[in-house]
Amino acid sequence: MPMTLKETLRLTVAALMQATGDSQNDLAGPLGLTQTQISRRQSGRTAWTLDDCDLLAAHFGLPALDLLAGPTRACELLPAARRRTLSPPGVAR
């Protein structure tokens, strides 16, 4: 059974958060939401809105439609400047 757009968006946001190192608090401010509201959207208790999609896209530096194309596509298109940089093993950040 194919994923719904709602599920695709939740998985995409989770993948982008992982790729950028953003926390729910990091998303809350730019979206004008609280961390609790982000948590509800990410758990599926509340749906992301179209306005949220526009704000998410701007936050991650992506076209809004690429958020709906799925986590793989969104992460491939994520600007390099937004990607989390990992420290080499043994080096503190």
Side-chain angles (χ1 to χ4, degrees):
M1 178 175 195
M3 277 194 292
T4 64
L5 283 176
K6 181 179 172 180
E7 182 67 14
T8 299
L9 184 57
R10 285 191 321 112
L11 292 174
T12 299
V13 172
L16 289 168
M17 288 173 66
Q18 178 70 27
T20 60
D22 284 352
S23 67
Q24 291 179 350
N25 281 327
D26 294 328
L27 287 183
L31 273 65
L33 301 171
T34 65
Q35 179 276 323
T36 301
Q37 289 171 307
I38 298 292
S39 177
R40 287 183 183 140
R41 283 163 172 75
Q42 279 306 98
S43 69
R45 288 177 285 170
T46 302
W48 289 102
T49 68
L50 290 175
D51 288 337
D52 292 338
C53 288
D54 285 335
L55 295 169
L56 283 166
H59 176 76
F60 289 115
L62 298 169
L65 289 178
D66 287 327
L67 294 175
L68 302 176
T72 302
R73 177 79 175 148
C75 287
E76 287 173 350
L77 296 174
L78 186 65
R82 288 291 289 126
R83 294 183 187 279
R84 174 173 48 172
T85 57
L86 300 175
S87 299
V91 176
R93 293 202 306 167

